[in-house]
Every structure is written in structure tokens, then in C-alpha cells.
Amino acid sequence: MSRYSFLSLIANALNGQTGWKPAWRDAAPKPTYDVIIVGGGGHGLATAYYLAKEHGIRNIAVLEKAHVGSGNAGRNTTIIRSNYLLPGNEPFYEWSMKLWEGLEQDLNYNAMVSQRGIINLFHSDGQRDAYARRGNAMRLAGADSQLLDREQVRALAPFLDFDNARFPIKGGLMQARAGTARHDAVVWGYARAADRLGVDIVQNCEVTGFIREGDAVVGVETTRGAIRAPKVGLAVAGSTSRLTRLLDLRLPIESHALQAFVSEGLKPLVPGVITFGMGHFYVSQSDKGGLVFGGDIDGYNSYAQRGNLPVVEDVAEGGMAVMPLIGRLRMLRAWGGLVDMSMDGSPIIDVGPLPGLYLNTAWNYGGFKATPASGWCFAHTIAREEAHALNAAFRLDRFRTGHIIDEKGVGAQPNLH
Amino acid sequence: MRIPCPYCGARSSHEFAYLGDAAPTRPDPSAPDAAEAFHSYVYERDNPAGPMDELWYHSAGCRRWLKVTRDTRTHAITAVAFAGTGEGGR
């Protein structure tokens, strides 16, 4: 398969666009591999790509029960950012941001990475202090941040309700390098790049069981037959417990439904990503013009990929409080994803807990932005049998040892993170 | 989703606060394996895709704790009773 380039674009324009080949092979599973990655979303495909590219392991299968990108990779709000506070988190997300910045050249694929910035609004003196601290923590980890006053925010987003009686806008914490990317293109780009390095992407192949030798996991049973490999990595987000149940493992995660919404298309309006500081509402504008927004998870365990009405109301109320103009817009679509909420709100990328098994889970509602670094770190963890410094804090046993990474400080209550 | 409260009748889930899985029970703190048992109690969950017993608090209603059996795939509720006593079951 040839590289995409300006020349290939011209050549195919001249031959009536008949020269394009499928971007990746529709592989049939082989009986054995060196590594099996379960889950053909962004994280799983990125893991396979970096295993092949960085670690020279190319005999890999990515198993996907439906088609690639049909889970959370196709159900998010496409925001990329690295504005975290805690030491275990921020360097990891900043590495992800750096990978986003070079992703399109690396993959030879237009992922439409657009660094249009994120502004987290604050509405009180106390919240400004908290955001100043967060901004400083970001800078310590090498990220960019800028504390905007009220007039600086107004210059960027004059349509916000600055003098709301209850939640006046006092300013915002901005990360200019944050932004959005095209979610499907990220999946397709990683799939194509991994395929070019020899990775088998096996779709419509659901894992139904594990092959064990003693304690060790040595392969998987699937709807397309048994497949063996000495290393099996799970990257299945909200479905993780469904698989680990087959191994009698209980994990510190719960599956919840997270909704997102998109309005009818508008002319360019929202300059980047804006988050409301006094309720859970955030908004950006897609390249097609629709406002993409969301808020809290539904609040109770769910494996239904659809949301409830109280949260729709709650998100709309948050939107009306900060950005009243959305009251004149029609909502076009709403959808729900199955997020893997953890007990401290932070992810797990780790070896084990069984020999031959590797875990990549607990992305809460922030998995999309993490896609490149998650794959990069998971690949390192699988290839080297140990965590990279960037994901050293994302251990499964941190709940046992007390080294939890709780950005919000709400404790072991997944529906509050 | 509407939850059939034994005292108030069927009410919107919006009136309730959610605690989560009803299965974990507080271990004996004086037991020799208390540290391990508390780790499991606080952090580890079955997280089933299917029927699950869970605790809801009717905060905007009768303020009773309920034990609700709900299918996490469909949100179909098959049993409700007051938590603790098991009274009012339906």
C-alpha cells in the first residue's frame, strides 16, 4: 500500500479516483501470534502500532468484536488536552499531547488535529486560585498554560454570559495547545499504519473465553476460533469486567453510560473548547459546524450504550447558565458510550494480574485524549514486561497500597469522578 | 427510568441518589485478614452486565434506602425492597 501524498492525490484525481486501495487488510485470524490485543478501538490499535514501530514486535493480532472504532472511539467528544493536576497523571497526558502534535506525520494520515485551545472558566476567587495551581502544575510537567482574566476570556468568547447573577465569569485557565481531533480518522490512521507494519486487524471476532495453562493466560477463544499468544493485552474500556469475569478477576472499575450531544450546524462560533466551572458542561464546535457538548455520566452502573433524560436536562441547564444562545439551537443527535469508571478516576496500564495478561483500562470519561500515550505506554509495558516511567503510577495495586491518583478527591465512588 | 419505591410508588430516578453495588458488606475490622478484606470491600467490584442488586436513597422522597434489582443492560427493575429490613418487597 502506497503512502498518501500530494502526488498520490493528483494521480488519483487524474484517473477518476479509481486507484485507491483499502486502507488496511481485512485479516483472517492465524492460530498463533506473539501478542494479541483485544479491542480494536483507538487504544488497542495504537498499542499494536507502537508495539510494531517502537519494539519490533510485528506478529500481532488486534481482535475487535464488531468493526474498528465502533465503541467509545466513535462515541466521544474528540477533545485533546493535558490540563491535569497530579504528578502521576500530568506527565502522561502531556506525552499524549506531544504525540498528538506529531501524529499525522507519523501515521501518514490526516487525523484533523486542531489545536484550537481549551478554556476552563472560573467563577470565584477560590476557583481562580485552584486553577492557578493547576496551571502551575501543568507547567512543571512541561505543558503550557495561561491564566486569563475576564476581559481576555471575553475577547475570545464574547457570547458567554459574563454577568450571570449566580455564576459570573471571572476568567479562565487556558491551554492553547489543546484542541480537538477527528475521532474516526484517529482510529483509521492507527489501523492503516499498524497494518502497514504487518499487524493483523481481525474484525467481527468476539473474545468468548481465555485459554489457560495453570495460572497463565496463553490465548483466547473467539467466535472465529481459538487463537494463542504468550501475551494477551486487554483494551476494551467499559467491557473490561465482562472479560475479566471469565478469569475470576474483580477490578476496581464500574461501567457507566456517558452521553454527548451535537447541535445543528452553525457558522464558526466557538473558538476552541470551553468548560463551565460551576456545573458540568463543556462545548466545542466541530468542523461541520455543530456544537458538540456533554456533561456528567448518567450516575449508575450501565452497559446500555444510551443515556437517560435527567442528564440531558442537567447538561442543557449547565449550557444555558454559561452560554444562553444554545437555547435557540436544535439538538441534532445524542449518543451514549460505555465508560470504565475507576475508584480513583485514573487509568490502569499494568502487567498482570495473571501471567501473560496485560491490562489497559479505567479511562473514565477521558480516554480519547489519552489514545496515543495509552498505546505507546501499553506497548512498552507489554514488550518490556514493566511499566514505562510515564505510566508507572497507573498500577492496579495502587488501591491496595494507597497510592491512588484522585484528581477530584471524591474517594472510591466511581459515579462521582 | 422509574424506580418503584415501596413507600412512594413509581418515581423518576432523578429523585434518588445512587450508592452502587449492594453486594459488598463491611468486613470485621478485627479479623486477621482485615486489610485485604477492606481493600476488596472498598475497591473491587463484580461490575456485572446483567441483573445487579444495588442501593438507592430516595433523597427527594421518603428518604429510605432501597435495595433495587436492576438489569444493567436494559435498566429493567425486577425487585425493590427497603434496604436492611427487606420489608416492602415487590
Side-chain angles (χ1 to χ4, degrees), chain A residues 145-301:
Chain A
S145 70
Q146 190 187 350
L147 206 61
L148 305 181
D149 65 22
R150 181 182 159 95
E151 293 314 310
Q152 287 171 302
V153 175
R154 197 195 296 275
L156 291 167
F159 50 82
L160 298 177
D161 187 1
F162 285 83
D163 298 310
N164 183 297
R166 289 176 71 195
F167 312 122
I169 293 169
K170 303 275 192 181
L173 176 66
M174 180 166 188
Q175 184 181 23
R177 286 164 61 242
T180 57
R182 169 100 168 92
H183 52 105
D184 285 331
V186 174
V187 171
W188 299 333
Y190 272 119
R192 175 171 171 272
D195 179 87
R196 284 162 66 99
L197 295 175
V199 173
D200 278 1
I201 296 164
V202 185
Q203 304 182 90
N204 300 309
C205 181
E206 182 172 359
V207 171
T208 55
F210 291 89
I211 305 170
R212 308 286 294 274
E213 276 177 13
D215 262 357
V217 174
V218 295
V220 292
E221 304 281 355
T222 77
T223 50
R224 297 179 71 174
I227 309 171
R228 298 178 78 94
K231 298 183 177 191
V232 177
L234 305 185
V236 294
S239 294
T240 303
S241 296
R242 279 173 162 159
L243 289 181
T244 54
R245 216 176 155 77
L246 303 170
L247 296 163
D248 296 323
L249 295 174
R250 298 171 79 231
L251 297 178
I253 57 173
E254 291 181 356
S255 298
H256 286 255
L258 174 63
Q259 302 189 60
F261 312 89
V262 64
S263 78
E264 58 191 316
L266 303 174
K267 288 186 176 180
L269 171 74
V270 181
V273 183
I274 295 172
T275 74
F276 182 32
M278 282 287 147
H280 203 160
F281 172 83
Y282 62 92
V283 62
S284 64
Q285 189 168 16
S286 79
D287 290 316
K288 285 192 287 187
L291 300 191
V292 183
F293 53 98
D296 275 325
I297 56 175
D298 279 10
Y300 45 84
N301 289 39

Side-chain angles (χ1 to χ4, degrees), chain A residues 241-242 245 250-256 299-304 306 310 343 399-400 404 412-413 415, chain B residues 1 12-14 18-19 21 36 39-40 42-49 52 54 56 70 72-75:
Chain A
S241 296
R242 279 173 162 159
R245 216 176 155 77
R250 298 171 79 231
L251 297 178
I253 57 173
E254 291 181 356
S255 298
H256 286 255
Y300 45 84
N301 289 39
S302 175
Y303 280 88
R306 58 186 163 81
M343 287 290 176
F399 300 96
R400 185 176 271 108
I404 57 169
Q413 195 64 35
N415 61 337
Chain B
M1 185 168 74
S12 164
S13 64
H14 209 29
Y18 183 70
L19 183 67
D21 194 345
E36 189 56 35
H39 167 254
S40 179
V42 174
Y43 293 117
E44 293 181 335
R45 294 291 178 268
D46 288 330
N47 192 22
M52 175 181 180
E54 53 193 13
W56 291 80
R70 180 179 60 93
T72 57
R73 297 165 301 181
T74 62
H75 305 324

Side-chain angles (χ1 to χ4, degrees), chain A residues 65-399:
Chain A
K65 73 176 174 184
H67 57 272
V68 295
S70 55
N72 292 353
R75 294 164 187 270
N76 55 76
T77 46
T78 77
I79 294 166
I80 60 175
R81 58 184 172 89
S82 62
N83 54 358
Y84 283 73
L85 173 69
L86 297 178
N89 269 338
E90 180 57 16
F92 170 85
Y93 286 104
E94 176 53 20
W95 177 235
S96 206
M97 199 66 233
K98 288 194 168 71
L99 290 174
W100 281 117
E101 287 174 327
L103 189 73
E104 292 157 327
Q105 290 71 25
D106 189 23
L107 299 183
N108 180 228
Y109 204 92
N110 181 8
M112 295 167 70
V113 174
S114 171
Q115 294 179 288
R116 51 185 85 176
I118 185 169
I119 301 172
N120 302 121
L121 299 174
F122 54 77
H123 308 266
S124 67
D125 291 350
Q127 202 172 23
R128 179 180 55 219
D129 291 349
Y131 278 7
R133 179 186 174 212
R134 176 180 297 262
N136 289 338
M138 291 161 63
R139 284 167 170 258
L140 284 174
D144 64 307
S145 70
Q146 190 187 350
L147 206 61
L148 305 181
D149 65 22
R150 181 182 159 95
E151 293 314 310
Q152 287 171 302
V153 175
R154 197 195 296 275
L156 291 167
F159 50 82
L160 298 177
D161 187 1
F162 285 83
D163 298 310
N164 183 297
R166 289 176 71 195
F167 312 122
I169 293 169
K170 303 275 192 181
L173 176 66
M174 180 166 188
Q175 184 181 23
R177 286 164 61 242
T180 57
R182 169 100 168 92
H183 52 105
D184 285 331
V186 174
V187 171
W188 299 333
Y190 272 119
R192 175 171 171 272
D195 179 87
R196 284 162 66 99
L197 295 175
V199 173
D200 278 1
I201 296 164
V202 185
Q203 304 182 90
N204 300 309
C205 181
E206 182 172 359
V207 171
T208 55
F210 291 89
I211 305 170
R212 308 286 294 274
E213 276 177 13
D215 262 357
V217 174
V218 295
V220 292
E221 304 281 355
T222 77
T223 50
R224 297 179 71 174
I227 309 171
R228 298 178 78 94
K231 298 183 177 191
V232 177
L234 305 185
V236 294
S239 294
T240 303
S241 296
R242 279 173 162 159
L243 289 181
T244 54
R245 216 176 155 77
L246 303 170
L247 296 163
D248 296 323
L249 295 174
R250 298 171 79 231
L251 297 178
I253 57 173
E254 291 181 356
S255 298
H256 286 255
L258 174 63
Q259 302 189 60
F261 312 89
V262 64
S263 78
E264 58 191 316
L266 303 174
K267 288 186 176 180
L269 171 74
V270 181
V273 183
I274 295 172
T275 74
F276 182 32
M278 282 287 147
H280 203 160
F281 172 83
Y282 62 92
V283 62
S284 64
Q285 189 168 16
S286 79
D287 290 316
K288 285 192 287 187
L291 300 191
V292 183
F293 53 98
D296 275 325
I297 56 175
D298 279 10
Y300 45 84
N301 289 39
S302 175
Y303 280 88
Q305 285 177 313
R306 58 186 163 81
N308 66 18
L309 292 172
V311 166
V312 179
E313 188 175 24
D314 184 65
V315 170
E317 283 171 351
M320 287 300 291
V322 68
M323 187 177 170
L325 72 82
I326 67 161
R328 304 295 293 272
L329 301 182
R330 277 165 294 198
M331 203 184 282
L332 210 60
R333 288 183 288 124
W335 62 93
L338 234 181
V339 292
D340 35 344
M341 302 299 295
S342 69
M343 287 290 176
D344 63 355
S346 294
I348 295 165
I349 305 177
D350 205 356
V351 178
L354 297 171
L357 185 70
Y358 303 82
L359 276 184
N360 178 323
T361 185
W363 291 100
N364 294 278
Y365 41 60
F368 180 73
K369 75 178 90 67
T371 303
S374 166
W376 196 90
C377 288
F378 197 33
H380 185 282
T381 303
I382 291 171
R384 307 279 180 87
E385 296 285 332
E386 61 176 8
H388 188 274
L390 288 166
N391 65 308
F394 297 161
R395 299 171 63 97
L396 175 61
D397 70 0
R398 69 177 183 267
F399 300 96

